[in-house]
Amino acid sequence: ASPQVTVRDALNQALDEELERDERVFLLGEEVAQYDGAYKISRGLWKKYGDKRVIDTPISEMGFTGIAVGAAMAGLRPVCEFMTFNFSMQAIDQVINSAAKTCYMSAGAIAVPIVFRGPNGASAGVAAQHSQCFAAWYGHCPGLKVVSPWSSEDAKGLLKASIRDDNPVVMLENELLYGVPFEMSEQAQSKDFIVPIGKAKIERQGTHVTLVSHSRPVGHCLEAAAVLAKEGVECEVINLRTIRPMDIETVEASVVKTNHLVTVEGGWPQFGVGAEICARIMEGSAFNYLDAPAVRVTGADVPMPYAKILEDNCIPQVKDIIFAVKKTLNI
């Protein structure tokens, strides 16, 4: 079997390899250097590469994001870490108005090769101000690429692809996945390994229903699929990996095969990732293959409560996915 690597170590490997490969790459953010990273993603990198390449910033997202965007315009390749994506709201003007729009507004003369990364979505017990999912927010904006890894292989491959991309990329990680070990193929251990941006991955083949998800809920979908398989229901599980540009072709091909669609996400329902997938399927030729309405499983339409039991009820659980599949299949 392949060795087990945590998502944290996979991200650390990717940063280490890219800092070593290209001297224009540098990392900045709160606690990334001397403290080894708030979540230890940048562990050991400051000691190895020094102050010029791994930079601790003051607690001012708008400030350090602006510095990073300016550096990217001037030819460097910054990796800008938000301690949580909720704090990226302090810098959303820099991300959208400065980074995302500049290549277009300069008629391609100014590239902005920058990666904005950090934990996104609900963690555990951090209440409303620290539990939002920004996939739909950033996925809405032309000029950005948005990736959302699940496994260690996703995390390493997508981070390396994002750093090498000449466009601004928002990389939405998940704090609760950092410590989770996944098998990592020999190919993924290589310094040349990347996961192409804009390509979904079929994590499990199935014939009865298509489950589409991204980030942590991919794991929930696979758990639900394992339970449903015992009842004779074969789910095809698609890990989106990228939110923008969205790989709708892989979803369409699956729907043509299974005739049923369930989307699963941790974010809010209104204008969400699942809403976009449903709309795209509705507008495309795969719509004619649906034998039942597509169903969305999402986070609850409320600011995240602090109480544990309420939080559990706000985040899609395996049982919610199973319920949605049975509803869709009318069983």
Side-chain angles (χ1 to χ4, degrees), residues 97-111:
N97 284 323
S98 302
K101 298 176 183 174
T102 295
C103 183
Y104 180 87
M105 291 175 72
S106 68
I110 304 172

Side-chain angles (χ1 to χ4, degrees), residues 1-327:
S2 308
Q4 298 252 319
V5 178
T6 64
V7 171
R8 172 181 288 109
D9 290 342
L11 289 164
N12 182 271
Q13 260 177 46
L15 288 169
D16 190 5
E17 288 170 13
E18 294 304 303
L19 282 161
E20 184 177 62
R21 191 185 71 90
D22 184 345
E23 61 185 20
R24 296 171 299 176
V25 175
F26 72 101
L27 176 62
L28 82 170
E30 294 148 358
E31 311 280 18
V32 296
Q34 296 188 26
Y35 187 72
D36 273 343
Y39 304 98
K40 305 299 177 228
I41 303 297
S42 51
R43 186 191 287 135
L45 300 180
W46 175 66
K47 276 202 178 70
K48 184 169 175 182
Y49 295 101
D51 289 328
K52 278 238 175 7
R53 308 287 303 282
V54 185
I55 304 168
D56 278 330
T57 64
I59 302 176
S60 172
E61 277 73 18
M62 190 187 295
F64 70 71
T65 305
I67 289 170
V69 172
M73 289 175 179
L76 296 178
R77 305 185 80 88
V79 178
C80 177
E81 176 179 308
F82 294 120
M83 201 179 285
T84 131
F85 257 91
N86 299 273
F87 301 154
S88 78
M89 284 173 80
Q90 294 287 341
I92 203 162
D93 178 57
Q94 299 285 8
V95 177
I96 307 298
N97 284 323
S98 302
K101 298 176 183 174
T102 295
C103 183
Y104 180 87
M105 291 175 72
S106 68
I110 304 172
V112 189
I114 186 170
V115 181
F116 304 102
R117 55 154 295 274
N120 168 69
S123 177
V126 291
Q129 292 192 344
H130 298 83
S131 298
Q132 268 147 284
C133 174
F134 285 85
W137 294 55
Y138 288 117
H140 180 64
C141 299
L144 286 178
K145 293 185 179 181
V146 182
V147 299
S148 180
W150 167 59
S151 67
S152 299
E153 213 156 287
D154 292 349
K156 181 178 179 184
L158 285 170
L159 182 50
K160 286 172 74 80
S162 300
I163 290 170
R164 294 180 190 191
D165 201 289
D166 286 333
N167 299 282
V169 183
V170 171
M171 178 153 172
L172 304 169
E173 298 156 14
N174 187 293
E175 189 186 331
L176 298 177
L177 286 173
Y178 284 155
V180 179
F182 288 89
E183 270 192 22
M184 218 161 156
S185 66
E186 201 172 317
Q187 179 197 6
Q189 305 284 340
S190 132
K191 289 189 174 177
D192 301 318
F193 177 72
I194 63 161
V195 167
I197 295 173
K199 195 78 197 81
K201 181 186 179 195
I202 297 172
E203 297 287 351
R204 181 189 173 113
Q205 299 277 348
T207 48
H208 295 134
V209 59
T210 300
L211 293 175
V212 188
S213 191
H214 68 95
S215 190
R216 190 163 167 259
V218 173
H220 296 350
C221 287
L222 289 168
E223 284 178 50
V227 173
L228 286 158
K230 296 194 177 108
E231 300 178 34
V233 176
E234 290 301 331
C235 301
E236 181 142 297
V237 178
I238 299 177
N239 170 8
L240 274 179
R241 283 177 158 179
T242 305
I243 306 300
R244 182 183 191 101
M246 191 177 273
D247 181 3
I248 210 69
E249 295 76 20
T250 296
V251 181
E252 283 181 329
S254 180
V255 168
V256 166
K257 181 167 78 168
T258 67
N259 312 114
H260 297 90
L261 174 64
V262 175
T263 67
V264 185
E265 67 191 303
W268 289 317
Q270 191 155 322
F271 312 113
V273 175
E276 176 66 19
I277 293 167
C278 291
R280 297 269 194 108
I281 293 297
M282 178 90 196
E283 289 166 349
S285 56
F287 174 73
N288 300 310
Y289 290 84
L290 279 176
D291 288 343
V295 172
R296 293 179 290 161
V297 179
T298 70
D301 199 17
V302 297
M304 184 64 70
Y306 174 65
K308 174 95 181 85
I309 189 155
L310 294 178
E311 179 179 81
D312 288 344
N313 277 293
C314 279
I315 299 170
Q317 309 291 339
V318 174
K319 64 176 171 47
D320 303 316
I321 300 169
I322 293 169
F323 178 81
V325 168
K326 289 185 168 176
K327 179 178 149 186

